[in-house]
Amino acid sequence: AGADGEDLPQSVMFPTVTKARELFNAGAVLADRAPLRRVIDLPVDLDAFQAEDRKRIDRFLKRHPQHAERFLQDEFWERRAIAARYAPLAAIAALVADRDEAVRRVVASRLAPEDAAALMRDSDREVRITVAQRLAPEQLLKMAGDADYMVRVVVARRLSHGKLSRLADDPEREV
């Protein structure tokens, strides 16, 4: 693991033989694990960790996004959402259709604005608000008729003055 795993909880660091030389140097019996290299083994169930250790693992995934990918298909939404924050963009594209809105919201916040547009008609208002906050200005009018007034408020705040007339007759005063 080297410097990569310095901040990780010791419970995920395992002494491991990584080179035959380590066995040859040990002689007939491997009595001391101290000279062995540590290998990181993150379990799929991150709920087993205390809050502080989860934060340390979260920081690790941020620095090493390639390790986050294995959690993208996890059964628990929170692990998928954490992984989606750090996994490579190409790996999270499939999560646009995730069953949980928290995961889709993370995806909407990370995808390029033109790709996040695929979530303009998402069933969850928070996802649509995230999309409205990130869309290119020329795409905003596509969301001006959203059923949720908060989505329309975000659109109105981001529209140029010349295009605000489209929302002038909105039934919600805040818009």
Side-chain angles (χ1 to χ4, degrees), residues 8-168:
L8 282 170
Q10 287 302 305
S11 60
V12 301
M13 306 294 290
F14 294 92
T16 306
V17 173
T18 58
K19 298 184 188 263
R21 180 176 15 96
E22 294 165 340
L23 286 177
F24 295 138
N25 290 343
V29 176
L30 180 61
D32 184 15
R33 300 183 315 179
L36 297 179
R37 295 178 63 159
R38 300 294 186 258
V39 174
I40 300 166
D41 185 19
L42 293 176
V44 173
D45 187 7
L46 297 179
D47 289 339
F49 295 99
Q50 297 294 325
E52 183 56 35
D53 285 345
R54 279 198 307 268
K55 287 178 188 173
R56 292 166 68 187
I57 292 169
D58 195 58
R59 284 191 301 268
F60 172 80
L61 292 174
K62 183 177 184 177
R63 288 192 309 266
H64 306 284
Q66 68 277 12
H67 294 290
E69 279 190 75
R70 69 185 269 209
F71 295 98
L72 292 176
Q73 302 305 317
D74 194 272
E75 65 185 48
F76 188 56
W77 69 267
E78 188 175 19
R79 286 189 290 268
R80 290 193 314 277
I82 290 169
R85 287 173 40 199
Y86 305 118
L89 286 175
I92 68 167
L95 295 178
V96 166
D98 193 89
R99 65 187 174 274
D100 192 271
E101 67 277 357
V103 175
R104 294 192 311 274
R105 186 171 184 196
V106 171
V107 171
S109 72
R110 289 208 51 222
L111 290 177
E114 59 272 11
D115 295 330
L119 291 162
M120 281 194 291
R121 304 285 178 241
D122 192 88
S123 60
D124 185 74
R125 80 180 269 203
E126 296 297 324
V127 173
R128 295 192 315 275
I129 288 171
T130 301
V131 172
Q133 291 168 334
R134 301 196 62 241
L135 276 180
E138 60 273 8
Q139 297 256 322
L140 281 172
L141 281 177
K142 293 179 182 176
M143 297 189 79
D146 195 275
D148 191 279
Y149 85 99
M150 276 308 297
V151 174
R152 297 191 312 274
V153 166
V154 171
V155 169
R157 287 180 180 156
R158 293 198 57 224
L159 275 176
S160 64
H161 291 291
K163 294 182 180 178
L164 281 174
S165 60
R166 169 89 188 267
L167 293 168

